[in-house]
Amino acid sequence: MGRFALQRFMYMVITLWVIITLTFFLMHTMPGSPLQHEDKLPPELKEEILKEYGLDKPLPVQYVTFLGKLAQADLGSSFKYDGRSVTDLIMQGFPASLQLGIQATIIGVIFGIILGCVSALRRGTWVDNVANVFSILGYSVPNFVLATLLSYYVGVKLQWLPPAKWDGPEYSILPTLSLAVLVMATIARYIRTEMLEVLGQDYMKTAKAKGLSARTAIIKHALRNALIPAVTVLGPLIIGLITGSLVVEQIFAIPGMGWMFVDSIQVNDYTVIMGITIFYSALIIVGMFLVDVLYGIIDPRIRIGGVQE
Amino acid sequence: MDRKNVLEVKDLHVSFHTYNGEVQAVRGVSFEVKNGETVAIVGESGCGKSVTSQSIMRLIPQPPGVIKHGEILFEGNDLTKLPEKKMEEMRGKEIAMIFQDPMTSLNPTMTVGKQIMEGLIKHQKLGKAEARQKALEMLRLVGIPSPDSRINQYPHQFSGGMRQRAMIAIALSCAPKLLIADEPTTALDVTIQAQILHLMNDLKEKMDTSIILITHDLGVVAETADRVVVMYAGKVVETGTVEEIFYKPRHPYTWGLMGSMPRLNLSRDTELSPILGTPPNLLTPPKGCPFASRCEHAMQVCKEHMPETTNSSDSHQVACWLEHPMAKPVDIPHDVVGGVSK
Ligand SMILES: Nc1ncnc2c1ncn2[C@@H]1O[C@H](COP(=O)(O)OP(=O)(O)O)[C@@H](O)[C@H]1O
Ligand SMILES: [Mg+2]
C-alpha cells in the first residue's frame, strides 16, 4: 500500500507542476500587459512599476520567481481589495466551501449507498421503483434549479430553514442538500447496478455454500465489491461538486470560494482569477489522489501485483 | 460390505419459471451416495447436473428456481423440508461444495485466509486465532507452499490451480461428510487437472468424505469414481459401478458418450464420433424417451412412452426400451467397450 500511495503521490505532484506551469505561460503569452490601459502614466513611472513587480525580467526568471513565491503560498495581491493578498482572500472563502463540499459528499455517499443497496436487494418491488424515480430525478435536475426551488419553497414560503446567508449550521442545510442530491443519485445508480451484478457472482455462491446467512454474505462479500465502481465515479463527482458550488454559493449568497471566484471574474481581478484557478486545480488533483488511494484500499488487485508462483 | 447411504435423492423435480415458461431442468432424478464413496454424475452440458447438485445444497436461485417434488435425504433428514436457518448449519459443515471456475469462485477483495476462516468461525465456533491456525493447517494439507505468507494473500495472487486448492481447503475445513465438486477441473490445464484430482482422492481417503463429482470428462470418472450416474435431459438414464458403465454400458446414450471421448486404447487416428443432434428443449420435454430423436436404435414405443428403469444387476440400472424382453437385441458398438482405460 505504501508504495502504491507514494507512486500516486508523485503523479499528483507532477500533474500539479504541469498545471501551474501551463497557467503561468498561458497568462504570459496572452496579448496585453497589466499596465496596457494606464495611458496617463508617464513611461518612466511605468518602467518603475514593471521593475518593482519584476515584469521587466526575462520570462524564465519570472517563472522561477513565480514558482518560488508559490512554494511560500504567495499568489500576489488582489487588484480590487487593495493590498490584500490572494492567499488571504482564498483562505477567507475556503472554509465555507470546504464545509459545504464535505457535508455534501458524506451525505450523498452514505445515502447513495443505502438507496442503491435497498434498491438492488428489493429489485422489482415498489421500493426499487420509488428509489429509481428518485435517483433519475436527482440525476437530471440541475443543482441550480434544485437550489432555487429549495431556497424559495423551504426557505421563503415555508420558512423552515434560512433561505440564504451563512450564519450557522442550519444555514448549511439547504445548500448541502442542493449539492448532495446529485452525489446520492449517481452513487445509488452505480451501487444498484453493481450490487445486482455482484449478487450473481460465483463467490457469492461460495459464501452461501460455506453456510453464511444471506445477510452476512451480502455485508461481508457483496458490499465491498459493489463499492469499487462507485469509487471511480467519485473523482468526477468531486469536480461536479466544485463547479456546482460556484452556482449554489451564488444562489444562497454564501461567502465561499465559488462566490469569490465569480465576483473576481466580473471585476476582472486578474491575480485573484489566476490564484483561484491554480487553487481549484490543486484541489481537484488532491481529490483525485485521495480517490486513487481509496480505490487501492478497497480493491487489493489495484495495490498488489498479480500471480506469484 | 454394505455401507450406509449418506445421501439419497428420490424423484427430484426442479423447474425454473422463466419468461418463456417453465424450464423443467430436473425431471425425476434418483440416486444415492454411500459412505466414503465417490459418485460421478456425467452427461452433456445442460442436462441438469449443476441444478441437481445445487438443489442438494438448496443453492438454486429461488425465484426463478423451485424444487417441485421429491426428497433429498441427508442421513435420513429431508433437506427440502429444512428451515433456512437449519440449512445454513448444514452448508459447509455437513455438505460442502467446489465450483467449476476457481478464477471467479473466490472473493477478490478478501484474503484467502479469511475466506477459509469464515466457515470455521461459523461452524466450529473457533476464535480468530484458532481459526487461523486451522486455516494454515488446511493450506498445508492441500499442498500450498509457504502457507504462512499465502494465508495473507488475495486470490489474484494465486494461480488457477492454487485457487482451486484454496477452494478445496475452504470446502474441507469443517470436515464435511459429503463434498460436491461441480466440474472442479474443467477450467484448469491438463497437468493441473491431474494434480487436483489426486488431491481430492487423497483427502477423501484421509477424511472419509463421500464425493459427488460432476464432470463431462470420462477420463476423470475412470480415475476417481466408484459409481456413475449418467444424466440426460433432466433424467437419469443409467447408473452403475464404474466397471459396469465402462465395460457393460447398456444405454445408447452412454455408448454415445463413450464414443465421443478420447480413449487410451484407441489408436491416434481413430475418429471420435460425437453424438449427432441436440438435446430436447426442456421447456417442452418430449413425453417419450428424451434421447429417442437422436438414438440409432429408437423404436416407435421410445417416442411415445418413457421407459421404466430396470435392474441389469443389483448395482446397474437402465432406463431404455431395449431392455424390454420383447425388444430386438442390439449389440454394443465394439469400439465403445472398455471405454477409457484406467
Ligand atoms: N437460473 C436459471 N434459469 C432458467 N433456466 C436455468 C437456470 N439455471 C439452469 N437452467 C436450465 O437448467 C438446465 C440444466 O442446467 P445445468 O444443471 O446448469 O446443466 P449442466 O448439466 O451443464 O450443469 C439447462 O437447460 C438450463 O438452461
Ligand atoms: Mg454445470
Side-chain angles (χ1 to χ4, degrees):
Chain A
M1 189 69 211
R3 250 189 64 195
F4 168 79
L6 189 70
Q7 181 199 18
R8 292 296 142 140
F9 186 78
M10 291 315 293
Y11 287 167
M12 176 181 85
V13 171
I14 293 169
T15 320
L16 211 53
W17 171 72
V18 169
I19 286 182
I20 290 166
T21 307
L22 277 177
T23 315
F24 175 85
F25 283 103
L26 263 176
M27 286 305 222
H28 284 267
T29 47
M30 301 263 225
S33 77
L35 299 180
Q36 192 176 359
H37 300 296
E38 311 288 336
D39 291 334
K40 287 178 211 125
L41 232 50
E44 310 87 66
L45 204 58
K46 252 190 192 175
E47 245 162 67
E48 192 69 26
I49 293 174
L50 285 177
K51 203 167 188 167
E52 196 184 311
Y53 282 93
L55 293 175
D56 58 334
K57 306 242 173 58
L59 211 53
V61 178
Q62 285 189 38
Y63 173 64
V64 173
T65 321
F66 175 74
L67 276 189
K69 284 190 170 168
L70 199 61
Q72 300 158 38
D74 181 358
L75 290 160
S77 46
S78 162
F79 287 161
K80 185 189 171 196
Y81 301 97
D82 220 4
R84 293 204 48 189
S85 78
V86 175
T87 316
D88 249 16
L89 283 173
I90 289 179
M91 280 310 134
Q92 186 194 331
F94 187 50
S97 300
L98 185 69
Q99 185 192 342
L100 211 53
I102 287 178
Q103 283 179 188
T105 310
I106 290 176
I107 290 178
V109 167
I110 289 178
F111 285 95
I113 291 175
I114 293 175
L115 202 64
C117 286
V118 169
S119 204
L121 296 176
R122 297 269 174 278
R123 173 158 72 146
T125 65
W126 65 270
V127 182
D128 182 25
N129 293 338
V130 169
N132 277 338
V133 169
F134 202 62
S135 56
I136 289 171
L137 272 180
Y139 200 71
S140 44
V141 174
N143 49 28
F144 61 87
V145 173
L146 190 65
T148 315
L149 289 176
L150 283 177
S151 171
Y152 183 68
Y153 285 102
V154 184
V156 178
K157 281 265 169 155
L158 297 169
Q159 304 206 332
W160 288 350
L161 288 164
K165 292 280 184 287
W166 191 253
D167 281 334
E170 73 272 22
Y171 286 80
S172 73
I173 296 177
L174 290 184
T176 299
L177 273 184
S178 313
L179 288 171
V181 165
L182 175 69
V183 179
M184 182 177 72
T186 313
I187 298 272
R189 284 166 52 132
Y190 269 78
I191 295 276
R192 180 183 183 275
T193 315
E194 199 56 24
M195 195 60 158
L196 288 176
E197 168 100 22
V198 165
L199 290 177
Q201 293 287 320
D202 287 350
Y203 55 77
M204 290 308 290
K205 221 164 231 175
T206 307
K208 292 215 188 90
K210 269 179 220 176
L212 300 186
S213 65
R215 222 180 96 158
T216 314
I218 287 167
I219 294 172
K220 287 204 161 163
H221 291 271
L223 200 55
R224 188 162 177 182
N225 285 291
L227 280 178
I228 293 171
V231 171
T232 56
V233 83
L234 269 184
L237 276 180
I238 289 175
I239 296 177
L241 274 183
I242 290 177
T243 49
S245 70
L246 294 184
V247 186
V248 170
E249 285 178 13
Q250 285 288 311
I251 292 171
F252 287 99
I254 298 168
M257 282 233 318
W259 179 79
M260 202 167 276
F261 193 40
V262 176
D263 186 52
S264 67
I265 290 172
Q266 277 163 357
V267 301
N268 233 329
D269 199 341
Y270 186 80
T271 40
V272 176
I273 298 174
M274 184 149 145
I276 295 186
T277 306
I278 290 178
F279 187 77
Y280 270 147
S281 314
L283 215 56
I284 288 173
I285 291 167
V286 171
M288 296 297 188
F289 166 71
L290 292 179
V291 168
D292 268 356
V293 171
L294 188 61
Y295 198 25
I297 289 174
I298 289 193
D299 190 349
R301 286 163 296 187
I302 300 291
R303 83 184 112 96
I304 308 169
V307 173
Q308 294 165 17
E309 290 299 328
Chain B
M1 193 195 61
D2 230 10
R3 288 196 277 195
K4 270 182 47 193
N5 286 340
V6 182
L7 184 81
E8 279 173 69
V9 177
K10 289 185 177 169
D11 198 27
L12 181 68
H13 287 75
V14 184
S15 288
F16 292 92
H17 293 283
T18 67
Y19 182 75
N20 293 321
E22 180 187 341
V23 177
Q24 302 175 32
V26 171
R27 307 182 294 142
V29 163
S30 303
F31 65 93
E32 72 276 330
V33 181
K34 294 189 193 354
N35 241 329
E37 184 183 48
T38 298
V39 172
I41 303 182
V42 299
E44 286 169 305
S45 175
C47 69
K49 305 184 296 289
S50 297
V51 171
T52 303
S53 62
Q54 288 178 19
S55 299
I56 296 171
M57 287 285 259
R58 291 241 311 258
L59 281 179
I60 50 167
Q62 276 172 304
V66 57
I67 297 178
K68 277 177 64 187
H69 183 78
E71 292 176 11
I72 298 169
L73 301 176
F74 180 80
E75 297 187 316
N77 291 322
D78 189 353
L79 298 183
T80 62
K81 301 212 163 53
L82 233 45
E84 180 62 22
K85 266 269 161 287
K86 285 268 182 294
M87 195 64 217
E88 279 165 20
E89 284 165 26
M90 304 291 286
R91 293 188 196 117
K93 186 176 177 211
E94 308 286 346
I95 313 175
M97 195 154 182
I98 311 171
F99 300 96
Q100 173 170 348
D101 191 353
M103 300 317 237
T104 56
S105 45
L106 289 164
N107 180 351
T109 58
M110 193 187 269
T111 62
V112 171
K114 280 209 179 112
Q115 297 191 52
I116 301 176
M117 285 158 62
E118 268 184 328
L120 291 163
I121 291 169
K122 158 116 193 178
H123 295 302
Q124 306 198 335
K125 313 278 178 282
L126 298 185
K128 272 224 164 98
E130 294 166 293
R132 204 184 138 83
Q133 276 313 310
K134 180 82 206 220
L136 277 172
E137 207 178 289
M138 287 312 297
L139 284 174
R140 213 166 286 129
L141 193 66
V142 298
I144 288 181
S146 48
D148 291 303
S149 62
R150 287 294 189 172
I151 193 170
N152 294 321
Q153 291 189 344
Y154 290 91
H156 75 276
Q157 294 170 283
F158 281 45
S159 64
M162 288 287 186
R163 284 188 216 188
Q164 202 59 306
R165 283 172 193 266
M167 276 302 291
I168 294 175
I170 291 174
L172 295 183
S173 59
C174 297
K177 300 203 178 76
L178 176 65
L179 173 68
I180 303 173
D182 191 349
E183 310 210 21
T185 58
T186 308
L188 301 174
D189 291 345
V190 184
T191 47
I192 312 285
Q193 281 185 12
Q195 290 172 13
I196 295 291
L197 284 176
H198 282 145
L199 176 67
M200 283 177 49
N201 277 345
D202 232 39
L203 293 178
K204 178 195 125 171
E205 301 288 317
K206 259 188 218 158
M207 307 180 82
D208 197 30
T209 308
S210 309
I211 296 182
I212 295 177
L213 178 70
I214 294 169
T215 178
H216 49 240
D217 184 339
L218 290 177
V220 170
V221 175
E223 205 154 322
T224 48
D226 300 306
R227 283 193 310 113
V228 184
V229 173
V230 183
M231 277 187 72
Y232 183 75
K235 285 181 178 291
V236 174
V237 295
E238 182 165 7
T239 74
T241 63
V242 168
E243 285 77 18
E244 285 165 334
I245 297 296
F246 279 93
Y247 293 97
K248 286 180 273 173
R250 299 195 68 93
H251 198 287
Y253 176 63
T254 314
W255 301 342
L257 275 186
M258 299 275 186
S260 63
M261 283 294 309
R263 276 151 295 160
L264 296 180
N265 61 347
L266 291 182
S267 65
R268 225 164 247 280
D269 40 56
T270 316
E271 286 224 11
L272 297 176
S273 40
I275 313 174
L276 298 176
T278 51
N281 186 346
L282 295 177
L283 274 169
T284 50
K287 65 177 183 282
C289 170
F291 191 58
S293 61
R294 302 168 76 185
C295 181
E296 280 180 54
H297 313 285
M299 303 171 284
Q300 193 55 39
V301 64
C302 298
K303 300 201 168 84
E304 277 154 23
H305 301 281
M306 184 62 203
E308 296 274 303
T309 301
T310 51
N311 281 6
S312 154
S313 80
D314 274 355
S315 53
H316 194 176
Q317 283 87 34
V318 194
C320 180
W321 281 115
L322 294 178
E323 298 294 309
H324 197 273
M326 279 160 67
K328 205 163 55 170
V330 173
D331 282 337
I332 305 173
H334 70 276
D335 64 318
V336 162
V337 183
V340 186
S341 62
K342 285 210 179 189

